[in-house]
Amino acid sequence: MSPTPRPESKVRVLLVDDDEDDYVVTRDLVANIPGRPIALDWVADYESALAAADRNEYQVYLIDYRLGARTGIELLFAMRERGCDRPVILLTGQSEFEIDLEAAAAGAADYLEKGRLDEVVLERSIRYAIKQHAQEAELERKVRERTAELAESNAKLREADRRKDEFLATLAHELRNPLAPILNAVEILRMQPQSPQAQGRIERQVAHLVRLIDDLLDASRVTRDKLSLTREPIDLREPLLMAVETSAPVIVAAGLTLDVQLPPDDVPLGVFGDRVRLAQLFTNLLNNAGKYTEAGGRITLAVETDGHAVTTRVTDTGLGIPAEMLEEVFSMFSQIDRTLNRAQGGLGIGLALARRVVDLHAGDIAASSPGTGHGSTFTVTLPAHG
Ligand SMILES: Nc1ncnc2c1ncn2[C@@H]1O[C@H](COP(=O)(O)OP(=O)(O)OP(=O)(O)O)[C@@H](O)[C@H]1O
Ligand SMILES: [Mg+2]
């Protein structure tokens, strides 16, 4: 699009007319126009006019209807075809209603009768043509902008849709997985009704199914914005220790070391929080650290406060997270490597839920990692309270 001229600059107008006398008349009219100065150039034929339109030097074209063997309307169409969208004012020797209609249909900005032309009429026609062109250009710019926005949101929707499809496949697997061992155990119980191993297996697998479905319910609460908290003044040690109690056995069973670093007991870790949701949040972080770290690794849970905020870091020596995924892992159902997660279990809900819970506490959660294979740190910052 051509740049809008500065208000003080001259308006450049090209007259296309095969009659030099008419040019002289028009030039004299233009010279008498007060206010914003108009620079009028003149060409006498169709080809020169097209060449000028190609150079896009003029803001307005005054085109005579009769141009030798051609008409001004043909010229107008040719200019439009070549991408010139500048306003065109058509001039005729005498008013003809037919031509007037034709001009309007072709998209002329105005249609003026030479015989009745004076500086007032000409000035007004040029001014309106410029104004209307600017408005159309602005409208076009808005449409383009809006189209780009729509394309972007469309792409985002497709991506979310794809993630949901993948998630459905994962979900089916995750729900299916515990059923085989359960069926197996039932078979064993049929023959040995007292088998404690079979009973234990069923209990573990059913508990796992319950966890998955609870996660799923939480996920749907998060996506529908229906997750609600019960917040009260608490010491963050409470949910932290609940989480450690839940996760430590899993972590130790995976052959990992868990190192918990809390400030001395006399340092308050007060927050205004939901004990259960915060415990769930830290459990998710610890379980992730355990899931995505190979045996022999170390997990550290470290807490500190400066009196304004309480900062909790869960660091592991595991798989790490590529830089471009550090934000993405917090999206619902996103998992870095599904084939790998398939073996690890999980639905890609934990961190999305964690972020929502932290948001509802007016806090912040972020992931950092030196890169694949070099471990990760998840940092949760909550406002201190009391
Ligand atoms: N400590 C970590 N180290 C490396 N990758 C991690 C870590 N924590 C999370 N991730 C990556 O982020 C993804 C999303 O984690 P999230 O906890 O949301 O889901 P999940 O663990 O796959 O399933 P679940 O819903 O059971 O938690 C994981 O699949 C994993 O790829
Ligand atoms: Mg997880």
Side-chain angles (χ1 to χ4, degrees):
M1 204 190 322
S2 34
T4 331
R6 281 171 292 119
E8 288 315 306
S9 64
K10 283 188 174 182
V11 182
R12 299 205 57 188
V13 177
L14 183 70
L15 173 69
V16 186
D17 197 321
D18 55 6
D19 184 335
E20 183 162 8
D21 291 342
D22 281 350
Y23 160 58
V24 172
V25 171
T26 314
R27 187 194 60 194
D28 292 346
L29 280 181
V30 162
N32 286 332
I33 290 178
R36 188 176 173 187
I38 293 176
L40 185 77
D41 285 345
W42 170 55
V43 293
D45 62 281
Y46 184 92
E47 276 71 29
S48 313
L50 267 191
D54 283 346
R55 292 195 303 274
N56 193 26
E57 283 169 6
Y58 298 96
Q59 283 150 267
V60 179
Y61 293 81
L62 291 173
I63 300 179
D64 192 11
Y65 182 77
R66 312 233 170 263
L67 288 177
R70 314 255 204 174
T71 70
I73 291 189
E74 284 176 66
L75 177 58
L76 169 55
F77 276 126
M79 285 167 63
R80 296 293 184 250
E81 217 159 73
R82 294 159 80 125
C84 173
D85 66 348
R86 294 295 180 175
V88 166
I89 298 168
L90 274 172
L91 306 171
T92 55
Q94 67 209 65
S95 176
E96 277 174 57
F97 191 56
E98 294 274 288
I99 299 178
D100 192 343
L101 289 182
E102 204 187 338
D110 206 349
Y111 171 75
L112 301 175
E113 199 184 328
K114 281 184 186 172
R116 300 198 185 169
L117 219 48
D118 59 30
E119 54 259 35
V120 175
V121 170
L122 192 58
E123 188 275 336
R124 185 190 290 132
S125 182
I126 292 175
R127 184 157 44 83
Y128 272 72
I130 291 175
K131 179 105 194 264
Q132 195 176 346
H133 177 73
Q135 282 170 348
E136 279 164 10
E138 172 63 9
L139 192 68
E140 220 167 86
R141 193 189 61 74
K142 278 190 185 146
V143 168
R144 250 199 301 276
E145 202 176 273
R146 190 83 190 96
T147 309
E149 279 170 19
L150 280 175
E152 192 188 316
S153 79
N154 198 13
K156 281 197 182 131
L157 280 176
R158 272 171 203 270
E159 167 62 17
D161 194 47
R162 192 190 56 74
R163 247 202 334 250
K164 227 170 225 181
D165 284 347
E166 268 181 26
F167 164 74
L168 270 183
T170 309
L171 177 63
H173 265 266
E174 289 292 314
L175 291 177
R176 180 72 177 76
N177 278 344
L179 298 180
I182 289 175
L183 278 176
N184 241 317
V186 169
E187 205 52 43
I188 290 169
L189 283 179
R190 203 202 298 280
M191 292 178 285
Q192 285 175 260
Q194 302 306 324
S195 167
Q197 286 94 336
Q199 289 175 12
R201 189 187 293 170
I202 291 175
E203 274 166 20
R204 275 195 309 278
Q205 297 293 349
V206 169
H208 179 66
L209 279 173
V210 169
R211 246 191 336 269
L212 278 177
I213 290 165
D214 282 345
D215 277 359
L216 207 52
L217 290 172
D218 279 341
S220 108
R221 283 185 196 108
V222 168
T223 50
R224 287 179 302 130
D225 215 0
K226 286 276 153 58
L227 194 75
S228 57
L229 299 188
T230 315
R231 292 172 74 188
E232 56 189 324
I234 56 168
D235 188 293
L236 197 66
R237 284 180 187 81
E238 296 176 51
L240 283 170
L241 293 175
M242 282 159 73
V244 168
E245 204 172 303
T246 311
S247 301
V250 189
I251 290 171
V252 172
L256 302 163
T257 317
L258 175 61
D259 184 12
V260 179
Q261 301 171 359
L262 292 175
D265 283 349
D266 57 345
V267 176
L269 295 181
V271 296
F272 188 63
D274 183 319
R275 193 182 277 107
V276 175
R277 287 297 184 185
L278 287 174
Q280 183 186 19
L281 152 71
F282 294 120
T283 304
N284 279 339
L285 295 184
L286 288 171
N287 284 349
N288 277 352
K291 260 177 18 177
Y292 305 112
T293 304
E294 276 135 38
R298 167 179 290 271
I299 296 168
T300 310
L301 172 73
V303 186
E304 58 184 32
T305 180
D306 62 0
H308 301 291
V310 184
T311 304
T312 307
R313 288 193 179 81
V314 177
T315 303
D316 63 56
T317 57
L319 298 180
I321 300 171
E324 70 275 9
M325 291 298 289
L326 286 172
E327 201 30 54
E328 178 63 22
V329 290
F330 293 100
S331 298
M332 189 62 83
F333 309 138
S334 79
Q335 298 184 310
I336 295 177
D337 181 348
R338 265 166 213 277
T339 44
L340 186 138
N341 284 297
R342 192 63 34 90
Q344 302 298 328
L347 296 170
I349 290 172
L351 288 178
L353 180 61
R355 169 152 288 174
R356 188 76 192 118
V357 167
V358 171
D359 281 351
L360 290 171
H361 281 87
D364 186 66
I365 182 168
S368 66
S369 169
T372 308
H374 293 95
S376 320
T377 297
F378 284 83
T379 306
V380 176
T381 311
L382 297 169
H385 182 83

